[in-house]
Amino acid sequence: MEQDQFFDYLIVGGGIVGAATAYKLSEKYPEKSIALVEKEGGLGMHQTGRNSGVIHSGIYYRPGSLKAENCRIGREQLVAFARKYDIPHKICGKIIVATSEQESLVLDRIFQNGLDNKTPGIECIDRDEISRREPYIKGVKAIWVPSAGIIDYVEVVKTFVRLLLEKNSVNHLFLDEKVIGLHRENNLVQVKTSKQSITSKEVIVCGGLFSDRLARLDKVNLKMQIVGFRGDYYELKPNAKHKVNNLVYPVPDPRYPFLGVHYTPMVGGEVECGPNAVFTFKREGYRRTSFNLKDSLEALTYKGTIRLFAKNWKKGIEEYRRAFSKKLFVKELQKMMPSIKEDEVKATRSGVRAQAVGENGEMIDDFKIIHTEGVTHVINAPSPAATACLAVADEIIAGLS
């Protein structure tokens, strides 16, 4: 081990929440020394770089929740940041489409939610207006959400870190360093990595898929556990890309914190379809066959997972069947776009969502930040954490000792 290095602030995790927090700290305290530690050889390689790339509007989230407040504030900050630093993005708008009268009732509740959350410019549109905006999409009613958009989140992270390093010459980025220990001594926190030991006054842990394990290194008593859900994406082939103009979302199932299989025009010009949501046997497993014994045993012996699966086994089987069948995946896409065909889509990437699950099997849907002496743990940062990253960073910094 090298001799301890010292920093005023140490952030663990080079995803978008960790990078945003490091950046915001450097703006607030430019004279302080700040380090960011990431276990991979690059930034934003997991949830940040493997999500839909959507700038969320905040329409879905429970009024008054951290999700709702931080999404509203964070979206405004993110768009302003992207404009200032020329980060690829587009405010293209989104429609949320009801394909049945039953879904239409849920859509009405979402619209009211959007009004309560002050989601800008939302309006209900009818069949004719759906067809005008999206000629290949069929629905009975929809919500038009003009503030939604798309962005390159990895480029956002890289910009945060570039600005952090430019702000103060002593600020540092450590890559390829996995955190393996945390302990306190003389009002300081020592963080042991796979390469060295770093001492800091304040440590902020943004561990994503491993947030619970990092919290347990710090002896935090959690009544939840991170369970990974893989999402697979397809992409429209060039001859079918003209079928989508804006973001197109289904009405989500209110029982689950997933938004359903949707169409997403990406900043690079591709149009992605997805994701689904299936339990993964490896926390960072991006293939259908990915497996890790420790991850699997930990998840499948946890009482919260057992209770979750017991309550939702039919939905789980349905999702798994679709994960291994292009035909079934396309059938799901056809609910909103009846004309889409199997030969118009191709399989592309996948991502894994870190879902916090409580001991009773409940999916914990809001942000969860725990402050302890000298260490802050971001335990749960589900979507829209990427959109809300700058507001979440403000929330984290406001709670520091």
Side-chain angles (χ1 to χ4, degrees):
M1 286 273 185
E2 297 178 7
Q3 187 175 1
D4 281 20
Q5 297 198 59
F6 174 82
F7 293 90
D8 293 303
Y9 295 98
L10 176 65
I11 294 88
V12 177
I16 198 161
V17 174
T21 304
Y23 161 71
K24 279 285 185 123
L25 281 168
S26 72
E27 291 292 297
K28 186 172 183 178
Y29 305 113
E31 76 288 355
K32 300 287 188 181
S33 57
I34 302 165
L36 178 63
V37 178
E38 166 56 41
K39 69 180 176 65
E40 303 292 356
L43 297 164
M45 294 183 69
H46 294 291
Q47 292 186 101
T48 298
R50 289 178 172 270
N51 63 39
S52 296
V54 171
I55 301 173
H56 287 286
S57 64
I59 191 170
Y60 301 104
Y61 314 121
R62 179 174 54 82
S65 66
L66 285 175
K67 267 190 172 187
E69 290 301 305
N70 284 322
C71 188
R72 180 179 58 81
I73 298 166
R75 180 185 56 78
E76 293 171 359
Q77 291 191 50
L78 178 67
V79 172
F81 184 87
R83 287 172 177 159
K84 182 176 181 179
Y85 293 103
D86 294 322
I87 293 167
H89 74 289
K90 183 180 179 182
I91 306 304
C92 56
K94 168 170 76 174
I95 64 170
I96 307 168
V97 182
T99 58
S100 68
E101 292 305 324
Q102 185 178 359
E103 286 186 350
S104 186
L105 296 175
V106 179
L107 194 76
D108 290 341
R109 294 198 291 271
I110 293 172
F111 185 75
Q112 184 58 51
N113 215 61
L115 294 177
D116 293 342
N117 285 338
K118 299 175 182 170
T119 308
I122 59 172
E123 58 179 303
C124 282
I125 59 177
D126 59 17
R127 292 175 191 266
D128 292 340
E129 184 64 12
I130 293 171
S131 295
R132 190 187 72 77
R133 293 181 182 274
E134 295 287 347
Y136 294 90
I137 297 296
K138 305 301 178 186
V140 298
K141 188 162 68 171
I143 302 172
W144 168 244
V145 188
S147 60
I150 49 173
I151 194 166
D152 185 338
Y153 280 119
V154 174
E155 195 59 36
V156 174
V157 170
K158 289 178 179 178
T159 305
F160 285 154
V161 174
R162 175 175 62 80
L163 295 171
L164 165 75
L165 299 178
E166 288 174 356
K167 181 65 71 172
N168 189 328
S169 61
V170 299
N171 293 347
H172 200 87
L173 169 65
F174 296 99
L175 295 174
D176 285 316
E177 295 201 31
K178 182 180 180 180
V179 170
I180 56 176
L182 278 164
H183 77 269
R184 295 166 181 77
E185 189 175 334
N186 299 325
N187 296 319
L188 296 173
V189 182
Q190 187 183 59
V191 176
K192 289 189 177 181
T193 78
S194 51
K195 293 183 179 179
Q196 62 177 318
S197 183
I198 307 171
T199 301
S200 181
K201 294 178 182 177
E202 290 275 359
V203 175
I204 301 161
V205 183
C206 305
L209 283 154
F210 292 94
S211 62
D212 56 341
R213 289 186 188 171
L214 288 165
R216 289 186 182 103
L217 276 183
D218 193 29
K219 299 180 175 59
V220 176
N221 182 24
L222 296 178
K223 296 190 181 298
M224 65 183 75
Q225 184 171 298
I226 296 297
V227 177
F229 285 86
R230 192 188 74 250
D232 303 309
Y233 292 87
Y234 281 77
E235 182 181 309
L236 294 188
K237 292 180 180 178
N239 65 328
K241 289 198 295 185
H242 68 282
K243 292 187 173 185
V244 176
N245 297 321
N246 310 284
L247 295 161
V248 182
Y249 276 63
V251 174
D253 188 329
R255 295 172 297 174
Y256 306 102
F258 308 115
L259 296 180
V261 173
H262 47 269
Y263 294 91
T264 308
M266 308 296 283
V267 289
E270 309 89 353
V271 178
E272 287 192 341
C273 321
N276 55 0
V278 295
F279 171 77
T280 179
F281 292 87
K282 183 179 181 182
R283 291 200 184 192
E284 291 172 352
Y286 301 114
R287 297 189 302 273
R288 291 173 177 85
T289 55
S290 294
F291 178 80
N292 177 277
L293 183 60
K294 180 180 179 180
D295 292 351
S296 298
L297 285 175
E298 189 172 85
L300 294 174
T301 58
Y302 172 53
K303 61 184 177 182
T305 312
I306 295 168
R307 289 168 177 167
L308 174 67
F309 287 179
K311 289 186 288 187
N312 301 286
W313 64 272
K314 287 184 179 179
K315 179 71 171 177
I317 291 172
E318 178 186 314
E319 289 285 340
Y320 255 105
R321 289 180 63 216
R322 192 157 58 235
F324 285 90
S325 170
K326 181 180 180 180
K327 182 177 181 179
L328 291 176
F329 199 103
V330 172
K331 188 176 180 180
E332 188 71 12
L333 293 173
Q334 288 171 338
K335 289 180 180 178
M336 293 190 296
M337 188 188 290
S339 68
I340 196 73
K341 298 178 177 64
E342 279 188 63
D343 62 3
E344 291 180 316
V345 303
K346 61 180 180 179
T348 178
R349 62 195 181 99
S350 65
V352 176
R353 171 189 173 124
Q355 177 61 56
V357 177
E359 293 179 341
N360 292 320
E362 72 278 18
M363 288 187 170
I364 296 167
D365 195 31
D366 209 356
F367 298 140
K368 180 71 173 178
I369 301 168
I370 297 175
H371 296 281
T372 66
E373 186 183 349
V375 184
T376 296
H377 293 274
V378 180
I379 303 297
N380 197 42
S383 179
T387 301
C389 63
L390 289 164
V392 174
D394 290 335
E395 187 99 15
I396 291 166
I397 292 167
L400 297 179
S401 56

